[in-house]
Amino acid sequence: MAIYAIAGLALLGYTIASALGQAPWLSLPLQFGSNPPVDLGWIVQIAVTALVLGLVVYLPTNQRILRLETTHRRFSINMQDVARAYDAVHKADREGVFKLKSEFDAVRERMIFLRNHPDLSVLETDLLEVAAQMGAISHELAEVYSDEKVDRARSFLTQRQQEVKMIEDRLEEAKVIANDIHKWAMRVEIEEDVARSEIQRLSELLSDVMPELDLPPGADMRQASRMANGRMIELAGRQAAE
């Protein structure tokens, strides 16, 4: 950047001097065909000066952008490492590995765990310290959602689901039994209707015989049977007397 700045300032000063007549312009004669040569050196000199000054203005901005991109890339890598270390320490905390309650002891215990971890031992100490502090802060969350409590909740839900499945099976069985009873009751009602129809038909067939037995048209069948038996006994007695 210093070289570009010095070159740009030198070219700018020389071009200003050439414009003021204090220094000669760059000589660059060009000839097109049979035309007389034309000196375009002053144009090339001004263009080179503008190009160098433009690079002097553009390169610092581009360098800052590159520096920001590099910093962001490093930050992303570092955050991924911190997230990986925190995931490991939080998982161990949910399993009940850490027992110390004091804040300083809890962070130190987690730091020792992360340093001894086979996949995280190569990370920087600062990253491990940040992950350990995050793990100590989320200790209460790890206790609430510990593996033991999560397993107990899953077991409870599994048991409830089995009970619901058992109730559903019993309901299906009860539906089948209820449908069978309903069909049975319908068949019994149909058979009763058929029997009533037969009795009605027999009553209609005997309606012509009722007057001969001195029975009213609407007499009951039991009453007709008793009166018929009495008449038979009476007739038998008369024949015996004769």
Side-chain angles (χ1 to χ4, degrees):
M1 289 303 303
I3 294 174
Y4 275 111
I6 292 172
L9 291 176
L11 287 174
L12 180 63
Y14 186 79
T15 301
I16 293 174
S18 298
L20 295 177
Q22 302 296 325
W25 288 99
L26 177 66
S27 179
L28 186 61
L30 296 177
Q31 185 177 2
F32 297 94
S34 59
N35 296 324
V38 180
D39 190 5
L40 300 178
W42 63 278
I43 297 177
V44 175
Q45 181 178 341
I46 293 174
V48 171
T49 302
L51 177 62
V52 174
L53 290 176
L55 290 176
V56 171
V57 175
Y58 172 74
L59 286 179
T61 304
N62 188 39
Q63 187 176 7
R64 285 195 296 271
I65 293 174
L66 292 176
R67 188 181 300 112
L68 288 174
E69 290 180 354
T70 303
T71 305
H72 178 70
R73 191 179 301 112
R74 290 177 180 175
F75 176 77
S76 299
I77 295 174
N78 293 340
M79 288 305 297
Q80 291 177 1
D81 294 337
V82 170
R84 188 157 55 94
Y86 170 73
D87 181 68
V89 72
H90 185 67
K91 183 178 179 181
D93 198 2
R94 290 180 58 183
E95 294 175 355
V97 175
F98 308 115
K99 302 299 182 182
L100 299 179
K101 300 299 182 181
S102 175
E103 182 177 356
F104 176 78
D105 294 335
V107 174
R108 183 169 59 85
E109 187 180 16
R110 286 165 175 77
M111 280 287 296
I112 295 174
F113 171 80
L114 291 175
R115 286 176 181 173
N116 295 330
H117 198 282
D119 298 332
L120 305 174
S121 59
V122 296
L123 297 181
E124 299 177 0
T125 305
D126 296 338
L127 298 180
L128 298 180
E129 184 177 358
V130 172
Q133 291 176 354
M134 293 172 62
I137 292 174
S138 62
H139 175 66
E140 183 178 356
L141 183 65
E143 286 184 347
V144 174
Y145 296 99
S146 63
D147 291 346
E148 181 182 358
K149 294 181 179 179
V150 171
D151 293 339
R152 188 164 60 248
R154 288 177 177 174
S155 177
F156 174 74
L157 292 176
T158 302
Q159 184 178 359
R160 289 291 301 276
Q161 188 174 10
Q162 292 175 355
E163 293 177 356
V164 171
K165 183 64 171 58
M166 186 182 301
I167 293 174
E168 291 178 352
D169 295 339
R170 291 179 178 176
L171 286 175
E172 291 296 331
E173 184 178 358
K175 289 179 182 179
V176 173
I177 296 174
N179 291 330
D180 293 340
I181 293 175
H182 178 70
K183 293 178 181 178
W184 191 3
M186 293 295 294
R187 288 196 301 269
V188 171
E189 290 181 358
I190 292 173
E191 292 175 357
E192 289 179 351
D193 292 337
V194 171
R196 291 193 190 97
S197 300
E198 292 293 332
I199 293 172
Q200 183 67 27
R201 187 174 64 85
L202 292 175
S203 298
E204 292 176 355
L205 290 175
L206 294 175
S207 61
D208 296 335
V209 184
M210 294 292 185
E212 298 179 359
L213 298 176
D214 295 334
L215 293 175
D220 188 20
M221 294 298 296
R222 294 180 180 178
Q223 183 180 0
S225 177
R226 288 195 298 269
M227 295 182 69
N229 291 332
R231 286 183 177 273
M232 291 177 65
I233 294 172
E234 182 180 355
L235 290 174
R238 287 179 181 178
Q239 291 178 359
E242 291 177 355

